[in-house]
Amino acid sequence: MESSPQTQHSPLGELVAIRRQKLKALRDLGVDPYGGAFDTTGTVADVREVFAEGKFVSLAGRITAYRDMGKSRFLDLSDIGGRMQVYLNGKELDEATLAVAAQLDIGDFLGVEGECFTTRTGEPSIKVSRLAVLSKSLRPLPDKWHGVQDSETRYRQRYLDLIANAPSRETFRQRSLVVREIRRFLDERGFLEVETPMMQAIPGGAAAEPFKTHHNALGMDFYLRIAPELYLKRLLVAGFPKVFELNRSFRNEGISRRHNPEFTMLEAYWAYADFRLMSVMVEELICHLAAMLGCEDHQVHHRDMEGNVTRTINLSRPWKRASYRELIEEAVPGWFALDAEGKRSRCAELKLDISHCPEEFEMTQHVFEKLVEEKTIDPCFVTHVPKELVPLARLNDADPSTVDVYELIINGQEISPGYSELNDPDLQRERLEHQAGEEQQKIDTEFLEALEYGMPPAGGIGIGIDRLVMLLTGAESIRDVILFPHLKNRPTGE
RNA sequence: GGGUUGGUAGCUCAAUGGUAGAGCAGUACCCUUUUAAGGUAUUGGUUCUGGGUUCGAGUCCCAGCCAACCCA
């Protein structure tokens, strides 16, 4: 705990001290500044809905503006969904109420009862007949007009960001709508939502560095999952034909504009389907979500602070489908005709740093990431991906050097992979062993055992929900769609 | 991990190496339909931290901390 700011000889301390004096004044008036339940007509939005001249309503919210005109006082009561103006008439209210009103600050939670009326400037308002202090705010809120600009404050004290910045509120409201709608969409199609372990003895389903933890009673180490995949497939073995999980996974890797150590992923599996069917469902889902958020003509517009359109994503169906090879040839003609040395010098010409790509397929993948993925704004399903990149998918019958998957690229980043899942237990074991190399202990042999009981052929998808929300809301950073992104600890104190 | 930029009042931002300022918030007063209310007055500073250069540092140099962006 930090020391109380009012004990410090600081400007902030003085502001807090003044508010504490008001707190005491309220108590001296016989008012509990942290009142209990308050019966309301509803939220601000609800009250606006039922608003009718002369109607008696009751509303609670935070004071976000205070306009004192002498005998007349107007204040704004806000909640996450909007604001409502409240009017205090200095001549009609009793002395006790006015004395309480004199101790109010921006930031306080207040409950009011009164009649609806419209001011002559046309503002729907509530003429207060009774008020109740619900929570006295002891610290000053951010600037009412500029909000919180400092990114560090916005992330560390997200509540201040949400209080002060309407666009941030809207982003997180939309995120919530998206998650809810995905569940509804899948439920409508017969998918069953399940919950599988986030603590796993062997973290499988992806290639990523896991977080490690320890269970005392069992006396064993666990890892936070990097993907739910291997458990969801066990449920296919169990006989569930359609399952999904929409929840957190964890990867102990770098933090960037597009990476948070914990992130939200949808994984869905559909028995007897394949990656093509999954791609159509994902196309439908994302278009549906965009439409729900009000995008017109399948155009998603990203805007800057002034509201100018900075990017338009065209979601018109059908979405482009092209093979990994085609897309790379398109970006770098003649690429696949080059030998390893040729590829290396071509990368140098293209100013691509491939110092971390010893293998040829890694150079190719780097070219793909830089010259295809990052430049693909409108949706594109990339198919026929090299098998080295995707060890858990079914090999393509016609070209066994590739797998039956799609990688959906939108907005310059991978949004969703979709597979025809590999259900041959022997081949799966071989591919996992090859992937694990020296580290055979990293193979989830119990998963392989499950496969040996028989897993139906299936289509599977993953969707990175954070990135999906970025694309739908125009957020530039993953931190703008995660309520509490991880940052380093603050040095000390404030 | 490397590079670039930034960190000044509660918030948003200024300030050629030469007295640290403004708007909002706060405080006091005026004002009965305002709404970024308005008017008058006014309080408020460890300029991120620690060193250094200098007659003099928010400003220049070094180191560190935190953040954003780019690269890996």
Side-chain angles (χ1 to χ4, degrees), chain A residues 41 53 78-79 85 121 143 175 185 190 197 217 241 398 415 421 432 492:
Chain A
T41 304
E53 211 70 24
S78 300
D79 61 28
Q85 175 165 277
T121 51
D143 190 280
R175 177 176 178 133
F185 180 97
I415 293 290
E421 302 296 346
L432 285 179
T492 48

Side-chain angles (χ1 to χ4, degrees), chain A residues 328-358:
Chain A
I328 288 173
E329 279 290 332
E330 208 174 287
V332 187
W335 173 262
F336 288 99
L338 297 168
D339 61 8
E341 260 326 296
K343 287 190 171 80
R344 212 167 285 282
S345 48
R346 193 79 180 89
C347 280
E349 285 166 33
L350 294 165
K351 296 192 164 48
L352 295 176
D353 178 6
I354 39 131
S355 55
H356 296 271
C357 305

Side-chain angles (χ1 to χ4, degrees), chain A residues 211 251-262 478-479 485-488:
Chain A
F211 288 92
R251 296 185 183 178
N252 199 348
E253 293 172 354
I255 293 181
S256 79
R257 207 163 59 81
R258 296 171 177 200
H259 299 87
N260 196 58
E262 53 182 304
I478 197 168
R479 296 181 201 96
H486 294 289
L487 300 179
K488 277 197 188 180

Side-chain angles (χ1 to χ4, degrees), chain A residues 53-74:
Chain A
E53 211 70 24
K55 187 179 175 72
F56 193 83
V57 295
S58 144
L59 178 67
R62 166 172 255 134
I63 301 173
T64 50
Y66 196 102
R67 296 178 287 279
D68 185 348
M69 319 251 323
K71 296 282 191 303
S72 274
R73 276 165 243 175
F74 294 91

Side-chain angles (χ1 to χ4, degrees), chain A residues 184-459:
Chain A
R184 204 197 56 75
F185 180 97
L186 290 169
D187 177 64
E188 201 173 54
R189 283 161 181 74
F191 284 81
L192 197 68
E193 182 169 9
V194 295
E195 293 170 273
T196 68
M198 290 199 189
M199 291 164 63
Q200 302 180 349
I202 296 168
E209 187 65 26
F211 288 92
K212 194 173 184 177
T213 186
H214 182 80
H215 190 282
N216 292 335
L218 291 176
M220 63 183 281
D221 289 339
F222 279 95
Y223 297 89
L224 300 188
R225 71 175 178 198
I226 54 177
E229 175 160 350
L230 302 189
Y231 283 90
L232 292 171
K233 284 181 171 171
R234 284 166 166 89
L235 295 176
L236 290 176
V237 170
F240 289 96
K242 291 177 171 181
V243 293
F244 77 94
E245 183 159 11
L246 200 177
N247 217 313
R248 220 67 60 81
S249 288
F250 308 83
R251 296 185 183 178
N252 199 348
E253 293 172 354
I255 293 181
S256 79
R257 207 163 59 81
R258 296 171 177 200
H259 299 87
N260 196 58
E262 53 182 304
F263 61 100
T264 301
M265 186 159 55
L266 165 72
E267 283 201 10
Y269 293 84
W270 180 356
Y272 320 119
D274 66 1
F275 79 100
R276 284 174 218 283
L277 215 47
M278 300 311 277
S279 75
V280 173
M281 187 171 82
V282 165
E283 201 174 328
E284 279 174 10
L285 172 60
I286 293 177
C287 285
H288 176 70
L289 295 170
M292 174 192 73
L293 295 181
C295 99
E296 289 174 11
D297 298 329
H298 302 94
Q299 310 289 310
V300 174
H301 299 292
H302 293 180
R303 295 169 194 279
D304 61 18
M305 304 260 275
E306 281 78 43
N308 306 308
V309 173
T310 53
R311 170 173 284 182
T312 295
I313 300 168
N314 183 0
L315 297 181
S316 300
R317 296 177 65 193
W319 291 354
K320 182 176 174 184
R321 284 164 170 79
S323 78
Y324 188 80
R325 253 187 117 85
E326 283 167 359
L327 290 164
I328 288 173
E329 279 290 332
E330 208 174 287
V332 187
W335 173 262
F336 288 99
L338 297 168
D339 61 8
E341 260 326 296
K343 287 190 171 80
R344 212 167 285 282
S345 48
R346 193 79 180 89
C347 280
E349 285 166 33
L350 294 165
K351 296 192 164 48
L352 295 176
D353 178 6
I354 39 131
S355 55
H356 296 271
C357 305
E359 302 284 337
E360 211 168 322
F361 79 86
E362 290 172 314
M363 278 190 267
T364 303
Q365 174 61 6
H366 192 70
V367 167
F368 175 79
E369 285 170 8
K370 291 293 162 189
L371 301 180
V372 179
E373 182 170 309
E374 287 185 11
K375 294 181 172 14
T376 300
I377 301 305
D378 293 341
C380 177
F381 287 106
V382 182
T383 61
H384 297 83
V385 177
K387 64 176 181 182
E388 292 84 357
L389 299 173
V390 190
L392 295 176
R394 193 177 181 284
L395 297 182
N396 183 268
D397 289 332
D399 177 4
S401 73
T402 67
V403 283
D404 277 345
V405 307
Y406 73 76
E407 303 272 6
L408 173 60
I409 313 293
I410 316 178
N411 197 25
Q413 48 186 338
E414 191 192 326
I415 293 290
S416 163
Y419 297 0
S420 292
E421 302 296 346
L422 178 57
N423 64 341
D424 176 336
D426 295 334
L427 196 50
Q428 178 68 87
R429 180 182 298 276
E430 208 177 282
R431 307 253 311 266
L432 285 179
E433 282 172 354
H434 181 259
Q435 185 194 28
E438 303 284 295
E439 302 173 300
Q440 296 290 305
Q441 76 282 0
K442 284 189 175 174
I443 296 172
D444 187 344
T445 52
E446 292 180 7
F447 164 66
L448 291 171
E449 183 182 336
L451 278 194
E452 288 173 1
Y453 284 92
M455 185 182 93

